Amino acid sequence: MRIAVVTVVMVMCATVAHADVRPQRDFNLQKFAGKWYRVGLAYDSPKFVPYRDKLKASVGIITVLPNGNANLTMWDATPAGCRIKVYQYEKTNVAGQFTYFSTRHNMVKDITVVSTNYTDYALVIKHKVFHREYTQVALYGRSHTVRNSVIQRFRAFALSKGFSSDSILTPPPAENCPPSASGH
Ligand SMILES: *[C@@H]1O[C@H](CO)[C@@H](O)[C@H](O)[C@H]1NC(C)=O
Ligand SMILES: *[C@@H]1O[C@H](CO)[C@@H](O)[C@H](O)[C@H]1NC(C)=O
């Protein structure tokens, strides 16, 4: 009986620990829409280590759907060329938190917009498994450069979530990705 109680308390603590990642207060999806550059990425997957110095800033466009969900169209400069991908973010009952189905990992993941001021930057955290284990922290900017103080906040946040400083990257802009001919 006593063990059961301890287990319950531990599960509750784990839930509370997750709850420290709160979304931006009064998150406004309409204001969040539009073009973003992923100017910072904290990603500690061992498989990604060889690509760290080749990473370029991806470009994303958030489109708000009438039902309150959002599409993220993302252009990634990869060794195989510029790749476009659409992520379908489904709203949850918490503004600023979304779920999406990762076709690559075949599972539902969730992302939280931790902090944004809409006109300059956004700090976004992504979980590996629904509600658990952070895999990525991304810093988005409305332009290729964000203020140094914002970069420092991104670094401090990623470090506080357990990312090593080696895994915290601020990639340079991608060349011709999205291709300039596409009009973006
Ligand atoms: C959102 O993305 C889905 C999947 O790619 C697509 O079918 C749909 O048309 C997109 N919606 C908008 C408004 O872009
Ligand atoms: C957003 O952040 C940037 C950089 O810190 C700042 O210059 C700008 O005034 C902020 N905008 C708003 C609307 O708070």
Side-chain angles (χ1 to χ4, degrees), residues 63 65 71 86 88:
T63 313
L65 310 184
N71 276 5
V86 179
Q88 293 177 272

Side-chain angles (χ1 to χ4, degrees), residues 95-159:
Q97 276 182 349
F98 299 87
T99 60
Y100 70 98
F101 185 76
S102 165
T103 46
R104 190 148 73 109
H105 297 117
N106 204 34
M107 63 166 83
V108 174
K109 299 193 178 192
D110 63 325
I111 68 146
T112 301
V113 180
V114 175
S115 148
T116 183
N117 78 355
Y118 306 102
T119 57
D120 289 76
Y121 69 89
L123 196 57
V124 176
I125 193 163
K126 186 162 115 182
H127 296 91
K128 190 189 228 152
V129 180
F130 192 70
H131 267 203
R132 261 185 287 134
E133 244 187 286
Y134 312 119
T135 71
Q136 284 186 9
V137 176
L139 175 65
Y140 288 89
R142 286 295 193 186
S143 71
H144 275 308
T145 50
V146 297
R147 283 186 185 190
N148 207 29
S149 59
V150 172
I151 302 253
Q152 293 316 318
R153 225 186 312 156
F154 156 67
R155 276 189 198 284
F157 181 76
L159 287 170

Side-chain angles (χ1 to χ4, degrees), residues 24 27-40 56-64 70-76 89 113 115-124 138-146 150 177-178 184:
Q24 169 65 47
F27 177 77
N28 182 321
L29 182 57
Q30 294 291 344
K31 290 206 277 182
F32 191 67
K35 190 174 186 179
W36 289 99
Y37 298 87
R38 195 175 65 188
V39 294
K56 300 285 190 289
S58 300
V59 174
I61 293 183
I62 297 271
T63 313
V64 180
N71 276 5
L72 169 64
T73 308
M74 197 87 177
W75 286 265
D76 294 306
Y89 286 170
V113 180
S115 148
T116 183
N117 78 355
Y118 306 102
T119 57
D120 289 76
Y121 69 89
L123 196 57
V124 176
L139 175 65
Y140 288 89
R142 286 295 193 186
S143 71
H144 275 308
T145 50
V146 297
V150 172
C177 183
H184 290 292

